[in-house]
Every structure is written in structure tokens, then in C-alpha cells.
Amino acid sequence: MTDTNARVALVTGGTGGIGRAVIERLAEDGYALAVHYAGNKTKADGTVAALKAKGTSAMAVCGDVADENVMAAAFDAVEAEFGGIDVVVHTAGIMALSPIATLNLDDLDRMHRINIRGAFVVAQQAARRVRTGGAIINFSTSVTRLQFPNYGAYAASKGAVEGMTLVLARELRGKDITVNNVAPGPTATPLFLEGKDQAALDNLAKAAPLERIGTPEDIAEAVAFLAGPARWINGQTLFANGGIA
């Protein structure tokens, strides 16, 4: 077991655009970090090595977020290494875009499994294990308000996450654990930028009063706020989108 008095955070999807930014931001606040990944071990190991080089206690855990047995083992590994878990940030998810009328239902099922079942599995483990004074942070999307065409199935999956999260906050009454969602707006991650030309990106940038597209670091600041000082924010969805909606 690593000898550390730091608060411990497990971040799913920790090698993705937002997940990596969250990892780096929580490291600044002194957390010991578990970097979860689904398939790219090299990337996860590189993230852990970079953290350790800066003096942060870190480890990598792998697993399909929708597999309850695999994720239970991942949580076990984090507890064995660090002695417990204080914060769980669930950024892992996928996005398939299509008009509702023409969506391939296999894509819907795949998103349902990762985005809904995966969020539920991770939240279930977090609810059982996060220590007193901790936080559970899920990810929704501002598209639930923006109603962009082609995002119907994705918005539906994230709407389910919002509902689940707000219920869990009430179910953990008396445990001093906050449960919230972060709902990013347009954010410059590889997943979001894929398939968009410069004109589309310029239009999205102008839509927000701050007249830019968000960065992963913007979203990570919202997570750090909910993970640490925001003890009186509970059962909420925080829209981190520069005022676009």
C-alpha cells in the first residue's frame, strides 16, 4: 500500500481529453490519483509516469465501466493501493451522432451500455465505497438544453445520467457525500472536434457570451470545485458552458 495522507480520487476515462485535464487539475490539489482506462494501456501508463515525475502518487486501473465485476476489482485495487477512495469522477463515455430518424439502433445500444449502464455501475461502486466527506461527480452534457440536431441519442443517454445522479444524492443522506453532475458545453476535445470544419467551430464559439469554445481545463476547474470546496452543492447539475445555455 502506498503511504499517503492525500485524498484519493478515481477518474474514469482518465486518459481522454477531459479526463486527463481532470487528473492534472486534481494533482495540483494534492490528490493521489487512480487513472482508469478502457484499452490504451500505453497512454495510461504514460499519464501515471508523468504524475509520479511531479511527485503525485498515482496508479492505473483498467476495465469496462459497464462490467460490474471488472469495476469492483478496479475499486478494490485502488483501495488496496491507497487505503480508500474520497472522490470518484466518471468522465468515461462515448458519442454517436445521427438524426433520430436514421440512427443505427446498434449505436443506440452501445451508447446505452457505456453511457447509462457504465455510469450506473461506477456510481453503484462509488456509493458503497466513497469515504465520509467525499464526492461523486458524473458527466452530463449541455446538449440536454441546447437541443443540437444529431445529438438526440447522446442527449438521451446523458439525461438518464442526470436523473440517476440526482436520485443518488438523496439516497446518500447522512453520509456527508456530495453527488453532482458536470454538463460541459462545446469543449475542444478530440471527440468533439472530429468531423467539424472551422466554420462550424467559429459559429459555436460565437454562440457563447464569452465567444470561445471551452477547453478541457475549463471543465476540470468545475470538477475540482465540486470535488473539494463545494460542500454545500449537492444533487445538482453544473452547466460548464460559458453561458451558451
Side-chain angles (χ1 to χ4, degrees), residues 39-179:
N40 193 331
K41 184 178 188 301
T42 300
K43 197 171 183 180
D45 288 345
T47 300
V48 169
L51 290 168
K52 288 183 174 180
K54 295 180 179 179
T56 296
S57 296
M59 66 181 295
V61 292
C62 180
D64 174 0
V65 292
D67 185 320
E68 65 272 29
N69 296 317
V70 168
M71 290 312 297
F75 273 75
D76 286 344
V78 177
E79 289 178 328
E81 179 69 15
F82 295 129
I85 302 173
D86 301 288
V87 174
V88 173
V89 185
H90 181 58
T91 76
I94 61 174
M95 181 170 62
L97 302 182
S98 169
I100 291 171
T102 57
L103 178 71
N104 184 319
L105 294 181
D106 288 341
D107 289 339
L108 178 66
D109 291 343
R110 190 163 56 95
M111 269 200 297
H112 185 286
R113 185 177 186 279
I114 299 298
N115 291 4
I116 301 177
R117 181 185 170 91
F120 196 98
V121 166
V122 172
Q124 188 174 67
Q125 289 296 323
R128 295 170 179 172
R129 303 185 191 234
V130 168
R131 295 186 286 206
T132 297
I136 301 169
I137 303 165
N138 286 322
F139 266 69
S140 179
T141 172
S142 289
V143 176
T144 57
R145 288 188 176 182
L146 294 169
Q147 296 100 38
F148 287 155
N150 299 323
Y151 283 79
Y154 180 70
S157 73
K158 291 301 188 176
V161 173
E162 282 191 21
M164 176 198 69
T165 301
L166 305 191
V167 169
L168 181 58
R170 277 73 186 177
E171 291 180 346
L172 294 184
R173 172 184 291 273
K175 294 189 175 183
D176 191 24
I177 296 170
T178 62
V179 189

Side-chain angles (χ1 to χ4, degrees), residues 141-143 145-146 148 182-188 203-222 238-245:
T141 172
S142 289
V143 176
R145 288 188 176 182
L146 294 169
F148 287 155
V182 173
T187 305
N203 286 334
L204 286 168
K206 291 176 183 176
L210 296 178
E211 295 191 337
R212 66 176 177 85
I213 292 174
T215 67
E217 291 73 22
D218 291 325
I219 310 306
E221 285 293 344
L238 175 61
F239 287 84
N241 58 31
I244 196 172

Side-chain angles (χ1 to χ4, degrees), residues 19-56:
R20 178 66 183 262
V22 168
I23 289 281
E24 292 172 350
R25 180 62 183 81
L26 293 180
E28 291 178 11
D29 286 345
Y31 284 81
L33 288 157
V35 180
H36 164 270
Y37 67 100
N40 193 331
K41 184 178 188 301
T42 300
K43 197 171 183 180
D45 288 345
T47 300
V48 169
L51 290 168
K52 288 183 174 180
K54 295 180 179 179
T56 296

